[in-house]
Coordinates of all heavy atoms in Angstrom, one line a residue:
Chain A
L194 N 89.6 98.7 105.2 CA 88.9 97.7 106.0 C 89.9 96.7 106.7 O 90.5 95.9 106.0 CB 87.9 96.9 105.2 CG 87.1 95.9 105.9 CD1 86.2 96.5 107.0 CD2 86.2 95.1 104.9
V195 N 90.1 96.8 107.9 CA 91.2 96.2 108.6 C 90.9 94.9 109.3 O 89.9 94.8 110.1 CB 91.9 97.1 109.6 CG1 93.3 96.5 110.1 CG2 92.0 98.5 109.2
S196 N 91.7 93.9 109.0 CA 91.6 92.6 109.7 C 92.9 92.0 109.8 O 93.2 90.8 109.4 CB 90.5 91.7 109.1 OG 90.3 90.6 109.9
H197 N 93.9 92.7 110.4 CA 95.2 92.2 110.5 C 95.4 91.3 111.8 O 94.7 91.5 112.8 CB 96.2 93.3 110.7 CG 96.5 93.9 109.3 ND1 97.0 93.2 108.3 CD2 96.3 95.2 108.9 CE1 97.1 94.0 107.2 NE2 96.7 95.2 107.6
V198 N 96.2 90.3 111.6 CA 96.5 89.3 112.7 C 97.9 89.1 113.0 O 98.8 89.4 112.1 CB 95.8 87.9 112.3 CG1 94.3 87.8 112.7 CG2 96.1 87.6 110.9
R199 N 98.2 88.7 114.2 CA 99.6 88.6 114.7 C 99.8 87.1 115.1 O 99.0 86.4 115.7 CB 99.8 89.5 115.9 CG 99.5 90.9 115.7 CD 99.5 91.7 117.0 NE 100.7 91.6 117.6 CZ 100.9 91.2 118.9 NH1 99.9 91.0 119.7 NH2 102.1 91.2 119.5
V200 N 101.0 86.6 114.7 CA 101.3 85.2 114.9 C 101.6 84.8 116.4 O 101.0 83.8 116.9 CB 102.6 84.8 114.1 CG1 103.1 83.5 114.5 CG2 102.3 84.8 112.6
P201 N 102.3 85.6 117.2 CA 102.7 85.0 118.5 C 101.5 84.8 119.4 O 101.4 83.7 120.1 CB 103.5 86.2 119.2 CG 104.2 86.9 118.0 CD 103.1 86.8 116.9
P202 N 100.4 85.6 119.4 CA 99.2 85.2 120.2 C 98.6 83.9 119.8 O 98.0 83.2 120.5 CB 98.3 86.4 120.1 CG 99.2 87.6 119.7 CD 100.3 86.9 118.9
A203 N 98.7 83.7 118.4 CA 98.1 82.5 117.9 C 98.9 81.2 118.4 O 98.3 80.2 118.8 CB 98.1 82.5 116.3
I204 N 100.2 81.3 118.4 CA 101.0 80.2 119.0 C 100.6 80.0 120.4 O 100.5 78.8 120.8 CB 102.5 80.6 118.9 CG1 102.9 80.5 117.4 CG2 103.4 79.7 119.7 CD1 104.4 80.8 117.1
E205 N 100.4 81.1 121.2 CA 100.1 81.0 122.6 C 98.7 80.3 122.8 O 98.6 79.3 123.5 CB 100.0 82.4 123.1 CG 99.9 82.4 124.6 CD 100.0 83.8 125.2 OE1 100.3 84.8 124.4 OE2 99.7 84.0 126.4
A206 N 97.7 80.7 121.9 CA 96.4 80.1 122.0 C 96.5 78.6 121.6 O 95.8 77.8 122.3 CB 95.5 80.8 121.0
I207 N 97.3 78.2 120.6 CA 97.4 76.8 120.2 C 98.0 76.0 121.4 O 97.5 74.9 121.7 CB 98.3 76.7 118.9 CG1 97.5 77.1 117.7 CG2 98.7 75.3 118.7 CD1 98.3 77.4 116.5
M208 N 99.0 76.6 122.0 CA 99.7 75.8 123.1 C 98.8 75.7 124.3 O 98.9 74.7 125.1 CB 101.0 76.5 123.4 CG 102.1 76.4 122.4 SD 102.4 74.7 121.7 CE 102.9 73.8 123.2
Q209 N 97.9 76.6 124.5 CA 97.0 76.6 125.7 C 95.8 75.7 125.5 O 95.1 75.4 126.4 CB 96.5 78.0 126.0 CG 97.6 78.8 126.7 CD 97.3 80.3 126.9 OE1 96.4 80.8 126.2 NE2 97.9 80.9 127.9
S210 N 95.6 75.3 124.2 CA 94.4 74.4 124.0 C 94.6 73.0 124.6 O 95.7 72.4 124.5 CB 94.2 74.3 122.5 OG 93.4 73.1 122.2
P211 N 93.6 72.6 125.3 CA 93.8 71.2 126.0 C 94.0 70.1 125.0 O 94.7 69.1 125.5 CB 92.4 71.0 126.7 CG 91.7 72.3 126.6 CD 92.3 73.1 125.5
S212 N 93.7 70.2 123.8 CA 93.9 69.2 122.8 C 95.2 69.3 122.0 O 95.4 68.6 121.0 CB 92.6 69.0 121.9 OG 92.3 70.3 121.5
C213 N 96.0 70.3 122.4 CA 97.1 70.6 121.7 C 98.1 69.4 121.7 O 98.5 68.8 122.7 CB 97.9 71.8 122.3 SG 99.4 72.2 121.5
R214 N 98.6 69.1 120.4 CA 99.6 68.0 120.3 C 101.0 68.6 119.8 O 101.9 67.9 119.6 CB 99.2 67.0 119.3 CG 97.9 66.3 119.7 CD 97.6 65.1 118.7 NE 97.5 65.6 117.4 CZ 98.3 65.2 116.4 NH1 99.3 64.4 116.6 NH2 98.1 65.6 115.1
V215 N 101.0 69.9 119.6 CA 102.2 70.5 119.0 C 103.4 70.5 120.0 O 103.2 71.0 121.1 CB 101.9 71.9 118.4 CG1 103.1 72.5 117.8 CG2 100.7 71.9 117.5
Q216 N 104.5 70.1 119.5 CA 105.7 70.0 120.4 C 106.8 71.0 119.9 O 107.8 71.2 120.6 CB 106.3 68.6 120.4 CG 105.3 67.6 121.0 CD 105.7 66.2 120.8 OE1 105.6 65.8 119.6 NE2 106.1 65.4 121.8
A217 N 106.6 71.5 118.7 CA 107.6 72.5 118.2 C 107.0 73.3 117.1 O 106.1 72.9 116.4 CB 108.8 71.8 117.7
F218 N 107.6 74.5 116.8 CA 107.1 75.3 115.7 C 108.2 75.6 114.7 O 109.2 75.9 115.1 CB 106.5 76.7 116.3 CG 105.3 76.5 117.0 CD1 105.3 76.3 118.4 CD2 104.0 76.6 116.4 CE1 104.1 76.2 119.1 CE2 102.9 76.4 117.0 CZ 102.9 76.2 118.4

Side-chain angles (χ1 to χ4, degrees):
Chain A
L194 179 62
V195 191
S196 187
H197 282 301
V198 275
R199 303 170 58 231
V200 167
I204 288 183
E205 191 174 347
I207 286 164
M208 291 311 296
Q209 283 173 337
S210 161
S212 44
C213 173
R214 298 189 300 119
V215 179
Q216 292 164 296
F218 288 93

